Amino acid sequence: MSDFVQSLRLWFAPQRVRDEGETPDYRFSLANERTFLAWIRTSLALVGGGFAVDQFLPDLRWGVRVGLALALLAAGVLCALRAVNHWVRCERAMRRGEDLPMSRFPAVLSFVVAVVALTMVVVVLFGWAGR
């Protein structure tokens, strides 16, 4: 079974993580959980931003408004999924005494948010009104 499928199964049965390796210092597990919660807060903010763009910018062209809203909503969904995946991967690595997993996701998420923010700056400066 691939490592991804095994990690995916652990999302819904986190007690299985405890079967691996040794229990780390609880402070590391709590820090891992705080990181997970920070990713979830980020996800909720992105989803809220997506709905805000759609609902509060009615004068924006439909395609631009929907594109920005969908980009933020998709980033929120990916962030929530990545949060649980990252939590499981880090918990397993700590229990196994391995290095914590590296990820390009923060850079990708930052890039998506930056593109949406720059687009919004253009919208505010030039006022792309119309439907």
Side-chain angles (χ1 to χ4, degrees), residues 36 46 98 100 112:
F36 167 78
L46 289 166
E98 300 171 352
L100 295 179
V112 168

Side-chain angles (χ1 to χ4, degrees), residues 45-79:
L46 289 166
V47 169
F51 280 116
V53 165
D54 185 52
Q55 294 299 307
F56 298 120
L57 298 175
D59 294 335
L60 197 61
R61 285 189 188 162
W62 182 84
V64 174
R65 188 181 78 231
V66 169
L68 291 172
L70 288 177
L72 289 169
L73 290 168
V77 168
L78 290 174
C79 191

Side-chain angles (χ1 to χ4, degrees), residues 3-4 11 15 27 30 39 41 47-48 50 72-73 78 90 120-121 127:
D3 193 43
F4 174 74
W11 291 10
Q15 67 276 8
R27 293 174 290 183
L30 291 174
W39 280 104
R41 284 191 302 272
V47 169
L72 289 169
L73 290 168
L78 290 174
C90 286
M120 292 301 297
V121 166

Side-chain angles (χ1 to χ4, degrees), residues 30-41 83 86-87 90:
L30 291 174
N32 191 27
E33 185 175 333
R34 284 191 301 273
T35 302
F36 167 78
L37 293 172
W39 280 104
I40 293 298
R41 284 191 302 272
H86 186 71
W87 176 82
C90 286

